[in-house]
């Protein structure tokens, strides 16, 4: 990947959305006074999985570098300690697999 691609607006957008999904959504859910099960269901198995699939499809369709797909799981790992229990670390592996499977669907 060229240096120009690393420091581009596209990279900034992918990082910004990854931070929003990984850090802002759990903050919003904690302020809504939801139960722990509802937070886990909505954030970890709802929003994050949908984002993983969509990001894989978008990166694949736009033929952008696959490195962009690592932004979300890495930012998720940074934020998981703040909001969730230790089992949530393993979900980052699931997010990577789902993202790359969605990315692979778009490839011929």
């Amino acid at each position: 990947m060229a240096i120009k691609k690393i420091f581009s607006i596209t990279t900034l957008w992918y990082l910004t959305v990854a931070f929003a999904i990984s850090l802002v959504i759990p903050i919003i859910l904690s302020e809504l006074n939801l139960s722990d099960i509802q937070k886990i269901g909505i954030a970890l198995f709802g929003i994050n999985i949908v984002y993983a699939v969509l990001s894989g499809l978008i990166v694949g369709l736009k033929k952008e570098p696959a490195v962009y797909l690592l932004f979300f799981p890495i930012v998720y790992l940074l934020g998981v300690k703040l909001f969730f229990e230790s089992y949530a670390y393993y979900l980052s592996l699931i997010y990577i697999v789902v993202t790359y499977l969605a990315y692979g669907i778009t490839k011929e």
Side-chain angles (χ1 to χ4, degrees):
M1 186 158 91
I3 291 292
K4 282 187 175 182
K5 280 241 180 208
I6 292 174
F7 298 110
S8 68
I9 285 291
T10 306
T11 304
L12 184 63
W13 274 108
Y14 281 111
L15 279 172
T16 303
V17 174
F19 271 101
I21 297 293
S22 298
L23 301 175
V24 176
I25 296 294
I27 291 171
I28 292 170
L29 291 175
S30 66
E31 292 300 317
L32 291 177
N33 293 327
L34 299 174
S35 69
D36 287 340
I37 295 172
Q38 290 172 327
K39 287 181 213 174
I40 291 167
I42 292 170
L44 299 182
F45 296 109
I47 296 171
N48 288 358
I49 290 290
V50 170
Y51 176 71
V53 169
L54 288 177
S55 65
L57 292 174
I58 290 170
V59 169
L61 290 173
K62 289 185 174 184
K63 297 184 178 14
E64 294 175 340
V67 173
Y68 290 158
L69 300 176
L70 294 176
F71 292 163
F72 171 64
I74 290 171
V75 174
Y76 170 78
L77 282 175
L78 296 174
V80 77
K81 187 151 183 116
L82 300 172
F83 303 105
F84 299 108
E85 301 295 326
S86 63
Y87 61 83
Y89 288 111
Y90 300 113
L91 289 173
S92 65
L93 296 173
I94 293 171
Y95 298 148
I96 289 173
V97 169
V98 167
T99 303
Y100 277 97
L101 285 174
Y103 177 75
I105 288 172
T106 62
K107 297 297 172 191
E108 294 178 7

